[in-house]
Amino acid sequence: MQQSTLKKLSEVLGISISTVSRALKNHPDISESTKKKVKELAEAMEYEPNTYAVQLRTRQSNVLGIMVPTIDNFFYDSFISAVEEEARLHGYSVMIMQSRDKVQLETSNLQVFRKNMIMGLFASVSIETDDMTPFRKMEEMKTPVVFFDRVPETGDYKKVCLSDEEAAQMAAEAIIAKKKKNVLALFGHPHLSISRKRCDSFKETFARKSPGTKLTVLYPESIKESKKTVLEIFNSGERPDAIFCMGDLILIGVMYAVHQLKLKVPEDTGIISISNGLMPTLYDPKVTYVETSGYKLGKLAFSQMLYCLRNEPAENEVMLESILVEGGSL
């Protein structure tokens, strides 16, 4: 049925348009009997308010924005899933955009969010992001921003983070416990604070607990580069007895190379990763990993957003604890 209008409702009931409008908004000046008649007819005629007009009038919507570097990543996919679940339960919808790790596209996306008058934004910054001015514009418009995963290193921002240092330390300690002496450690883009934090913690743990271990640190970033790196290392005659992967994409590339080289895991080389949790279960043996759950982070981020939307006090930075999940790969 075609959407009914306020005018049609007023004509059928024989009351003014303004009375119909106020009744639908549950205005105290309108009697309960009139409200009941208006709402019953509105439901029968499948009336829906003009959402855009409401946004223009109130300068807000029931939409929350999510900006991620890419959605073709299980971590961000599970984060989005968690936020969307919570948003639906609390009467919000979500608008999702990707920066593709380009600051120009990130800035353009923020403009789109502002034009759509979103009520709050969840953001994981791009590799190229240095200037936070576009994000500050959101907050100047009274639109709260909760940063997650890739977060600003400085500034008074609301941040929901994985325990990056703890995750890397747990992975390093697991390798040390297996008495590995030649470790290849693969990290993401060195410009990102998440890469630096994990790398610094990983190296510090070895320096403190196993200074005699040979540690080779490289930054392949992608699946393709990770595979290439491992193939080059092993084909050069170097034989690491353990490979650490900072994230799932790196793990996938490493496992491609391991299979191509026909290496036995863990006999020829051990594997450990920081992971959202799905990828390590797809291999035989299952890969030992430190869990950094996008789904759990999404739930935590939404709770922080609610504090902001309700103008309730909230901590500036909240951390999600990591868990070591044993497989048979180390």
Side-chain angles (χ1 to χ4, degrees):
M1 184 184 295
Q2 191 173 11
Q3 186 187 80
S4 303
T5 64
L6 290 175
K7 183 178 180 181
K8 288 180 182 178
L9 293 171
S10 71
E11 288 173 351
V12 172
L13 293 168
I15 58 179
S16 68
I17 292 176
S18 63
T19 300
V20 171
S21 177
R22 286 184 293 163
L24 290 170
K25 295 173 185 172
N26 210 31
H27 197 283
D29 289 349
I30 307 300
S31 70
E32 291 302 318
S33 62
T34 300
K35 288 178 187 176
K36 186 172 183 292
K37 289 177 184 177
V38 170
K39 290 176 181 178
E40 285 178 350
L41 182 60
E43 184 176 349
M45 296 179 71
E46 296 186 357
Y47 167 77
E48 293 181 6
N50 186 326
T51 305
Y52 185 65
V54 172
Q55 286 182 218
L56 288 176
R57 186 175 66 253
T58 62
R59 298 301 297 173
Q60 65 179 14
S61 66
N62 275 341
V63 178
L64 299 172
I66 304 176
M67 182 155 59
V68 294
T70 176
I71 59 174
D72 55 356
N73 175 303
F74 186 65
F75 176 84
Y76 291 123
D77 178 70
S78 57
F79 177 91
I80 291 168
S81 176
V83 170
E84 194 276 332
E85 283 179 11
E86 291 298 317
R88 189 161 16 91
L89 288 173
H90 290 84
Y92 297 98
S93 55
V94 297
M95 179 180 183
I96 304 160
M97 304 195 79
Q98 350 176 43
S99 69
R100 290 292 179 187
D101 271 327
K102 301 296 181 185
V103 72
Q104 186 175 359
L105 183 54
E106 181 177 75
T107 302
S108 175
N109 289 344
L110 289 171
Q111 291 174 344
V112 173
F113 283 133
R114 289 198 299 273
K115 287 178 182 177
N116 281 273
M117 292 174 277
I118 61 170
M119 293 190 70
L121 173 65
F122 301 92
S124 183
V125 299
S126 78
I127 287 173
E128 298 178 352
T129 303
D130 286 315
D131 182 9
M132 298 302 295
T133 302
F135 288 100
R136 283 197 290 272
K137 286 182 181 178
M138 301 294 295
E139 297 188 328
E140 287 168 5
M141 294 176 64
K142 307 301 181 185
T143 303
V145 181
V146 173
F147 292 95
F148 69 96
D149 189 39
R150 300 182 185 177
V151 302
E153 291 190 73
T154 59
D156 188 24
Y157 300 105
K158 291 287 186 292
K159 296 183 279 190
V160 179
C161 307
L162 300 164
S163 50
D164 295 311
E165 291 94 340
E166 179 191 30
Q169 178 181 330
M170 290 175 71
E173 288 173 344
I175 295 170
I176 293 168
K178 295 293 184 178
K179 303 188 185 307
K180 304 294 185 179
K181 293 301 179 183
N182 185 357
V183 178
L184 173 62
L186 304 179
F187 292 87
H189 198 290
H191 178 73
L192 294 172
S193 63
I194 186 173
S195 298
R196 291 200 298 273
K197 286 179 180 178
R198 290 179 177 181
C199 186
D200 289 347
S201 176
F202 192 82
K203 291 192 293 187
E204 189 276 332
T205 302
F206 271 96
R208 181 164 42 88
K209 295 192 171 185
S210 184
T213 299
K214 179 181 179 182
L215 197 57
T216 302
V217 175
L218 298 171
Y219 300 87
E221 301 177 50
S222 67
I223 294 174
K224 182 179 179 180
E225 286 299 312
S226 301
K227 177 183 177 182
K228 179 182 175 184
T229 298
V230 174
L231 289 175
E232 288 176 349
I233 291 283
F234 277 85
N235 287 331
S236 72
E238 187 71 25
R239 307 292 290 186
D241 56 11
I243 303 174
F244 165 75
C245 310
M246 189 186 105
D248 281 326
L249 295 182
I250 293 174
L251 172 62
I252 294 169
V254 167
M255 295 309 293
Y256 272 135
V258 165
H259 292 154
Q260 185 171 320
L261 292 165
K262 294 182 169 49
L263 298 174
K264 291 182 179 179
V265 177
E267 292 84 357
D268 295 330
T269 190
I271 309 288
I272 186 170
S273 182
I274 294 177
S275 173
N276 192 54
L278 173 65
M279 291 303 164
T281 67
L282 302 181
Y283 301 103
D284 184 19
K286 293 180 180 179
V287 174
T288 296
Y289 68 97
V290 179
E291 182 194 68
T292 50
S293 169
Y295 186 82
K296 291 179 182 177
L297 193 69
K299 295 284 186 178
L300 185 59
F302 192 88
S303 68
Q304 294 303 105
M305 178 62 75
L306 279 184
Y307 286 131
C308 296
L309 294 173
R310 294 169 178 170
N311 293 313
E312 296 175 357
E315 296 180 42
N316 272 1
E317 186 168 359
V318 181
M319 305 288 287
L320 180 67
E321 291 186 1
S322 298
I323 302 169
L324 180 66
V325 181
E326 295 281 0
S329 65
L330 195 60

